[in-house]
Amino acid sequence: MRGRLVYNIGGEIPQVGTLAFGIVDRGTNVIEVRPTSICALNCIFCSVNAGPLSRVRWAEYVVEPEPLLSALEEVVRYKKTDDVEVHIDGMGDPGHYPHLAQLVRGAKSIKGVALVSMQTRLYMLDKEAVQQLANAGLDRFNVSVDALDPALAKKLAGAEWYDVEKALELIKIALEAGINVIISPVWVPGLNDGEMPKIVKWAAENGVGRGQTPVLIQKYIPHKRGRKVEVRPMTWGEFWRKLREMEKELGIPLIPKKGEYNIHKAPELPKPYAVGDTITVEIVARGIFKGEMLGVAVNKRGSAIWDRVVTVAYGDAASDELVGKRARVRVIENAHNIYIARPLRV
Ligand code: SF4
């Protein structure tokens, strides 16, 4: 984490607008809540280039629970549905978030939230922390386990100290505590092919999934900004064919049935600025990747429905000296309210 700043994000910065923290709304009843970007591992395939060894990040974020929850409440209300799933995930591992139980309890108490789930590698928690999350109302962990073989698991995680057996132990503890678990390994062809059936069998034997598809295998996909592995990624056709073959061989479902996860469309937050619009922002912090800064549109309304944090792609001109200054920027992307802009004058 050398040279990286860790920002504490409070109520003055909008919770919507970036993938790095806050809330991501993709127009369904599943709302992604991202409390931190911090991760202690360095998975060799990490799509978001997280971890202490990342060479492309220059900032991390930890969001204060109160502004995050109050923004979440507004977004849930906007959805006008009573079956919202709050999915805690992010560009790091939310297991590191210091206010996790508070976040889960707060999310679960919002009218309209039916389910709270969370993506994590689990190893950083202990029995007591898992029990606290169960008491707070956590419904499901999606746990990433890419290999049962301890040496291979360390290699894939990019960390000699990573202990997959501890994660497996904690999965059993979570199930006992009443939290459902789904395992989601990343299948990197040529590296962990033999581990996939082992993980599926282990999951089935230990009651993972509770009737839902116990293991959701993810296809390794190289991402523009992510870490890349020197392998030939599978095509989607190959991937689905292999999953169907494995299903048949093991007699365990690996492809969720339609409707298994109750995901449906729900009103998407409005986009306050269109691509091509010019806006004035105040630069408030570094963006997550080198070359990026975060700006906040100056005409804030004090509402998560309309206020946005904007990533400004400065390139080599990105600098801490810009913080506190105003800039005119042009919006170049706004898909799902993730705002990216370019400065007009540097
Ligand atoms: S894949 Fe997940 S656990 Fe691994 S480095 Fe990336 S964010 Fe961390």
Side-chain angles (χ1 to χ4, degrees), residues 127 130-135 138 171-180 210:
K127 188 174 180 181
V130 170
Q131 190 58 55
Q132 276 174 9
L133 292 175
N135 297 345
L138 185 70
I171 289 176
K172 293 186 201 163
I173 289 169
L175 289 165
E176 270 165 33
I179 303 173
N180 195 10
R210 297 228 175 98

Side-chain angles (χ1 to χ4, degrees), residues 208-245:
V208 166
R210 297 228 175 98
Q212 283 183 303
T213 308
V215 178
L216 296 178
I217 298 176
Q218 320 281 308
K219 184 173 105 66
Y220 164 65
I221 302 174
H223 285 265
K224 198 172 104 197
R225 286 254 168 77
R227 281 191 285 274
K228 295 172 191 72
V229 192
E230 300 261 317
V231 296
R232 185 186 68 81
M234 275 182 260
T235 62
W236 282 107
E238 235 177 318
F239 177 71
W240 293 120
R241 180 175 50 75
K242 287 189 177 178
L243 286 196
R244 280 192 293 271
E245 281 169 12

Side-chain angles (χ1 to χ4, degrees), residues 33 197 249 295:
V33 171
E249 208 177 295

Side-chain angles (χ1 to χ4, degrees), residues 66-284:
E66 292 84 6
L68 184 53
L69 281 166
S70 90
L72 178 62
E73 195 166 1
E74 277 188 83
V75 177
V76 171
R77 211 180 309 133
Y78 192 84
K79 292 280 165 190
K80 292 191 176 58
T81 176
D82 59 2
D83 59 357
V84 167
E85 172 173 347
V86 170
H87 185 59
I88 303 171
D89 66 352
M91 291 178 74
D93 193 319
H96 295 297
Y97 187 54
H99 316 288
L100 205 44
Q102 184 184 348
L103 178 62
V104 170
R105 183 169 287 111
K108 201 63 192 281
S109 69
I110 294 172
K111 190 170 171 279
V113 173
L115 205 118
V116 178
S117 60
M118 170 181 162
Q119 181 75 44
T120 179
R121 283 187 182 262
L122 212 57
Y123 66 87
M124 73 295 284
L125 302 182
D126 57 17
K127 188 174 180 181
E128 203 189 323
V130 170
Q131 190 58 55
Q132 276 174 9
L133 292 175
N135 297 345
L138 185 70
D139 296 284
R140 192 182 74 234
F141 278 122
N142 287 24
V143 183
S144 315
V145 173
D146 309 304
L148 296 191
D149 175 75
L152 183 55
K154 286 178 199 293
K155 182 180 166 188
L156 293 166
E160 255 313 297
W161 52 264
Y162 172 64
D163 180 4
V164 67
E165 278 161 2
K166 184 178 177 204
L168 297 177
E169 227 17 74
L170 285 160
I171 289 176
K172 293 186 201 163
I173 289 169
L175 289 165
E176 270 165 33
I179 303 173
N180 195 10
V181 176
I182 300 289
I183 299 183
S184 51
V186 176
W187 186 352
V188 190
L191 283 189
N192 60 354
D193 311 65
E195 296 295 310
M196 294 301 120
K198 276 167 47 186
I199 293 170
V200 174
K201 277 193 235 159
W202 187 93
E205 279 160 16
N206 286 281
V208 166
R210 297 228 175 98
Q212 283 183 303
T213 308
V215 178
L216 296 178
I217 298 176
Q218 320 281 308
K219 184 173 105 66
Y220 164 65
I221 302 174
H223 285 265
K224 198 172 104 197
R225 286 254 168 77
R227 281 191 285 274
K228 295 172 191 72
V229 192
E230 300 261 317
V231 296
R232 185 186 68 81
M234 275 182 260
T235 62
W236 282 107
E238 235 177 318
F239 177 71
W240 293 120
R241 180 175 50 75
K242 287 189 177 178
L243 286 196
R244 280 192 293 271
E245 281 169 12
M246 207 188 302
E247 269 188 338
K248 241 198 219 153
E249 208 177 295
L250 302 175
I252 299 166
L254 293 173
I255 301 168
K257 284 180 272 320
K258 212 166 168 246
E260 195 178 311
Y261 280 91
N262 182 38
I263 300 174
H264 58 82
K265 284 192 182 159
E268 188 164 358
L269 291 177
K271 288 185 182 145
Y273 316 108
V275 170
D277 280 2
T278 301
I279 50 177
T280 303
V281 296
E282 182 184 330
I283 302 298
V284 291

Side-chain angles (χ1 to χ4, degrees), residues 2-23:
R2 215 153 42 107
R4 232 176 282 175
L5 292 181
V6 180
Y7 293 95
N8 197 34
I9 302 293
E12 66 293 349
I13 296 186
Q15 300 290 329
V16 179
T18 172
L19 291 170
F21 62 82
I23 293 172

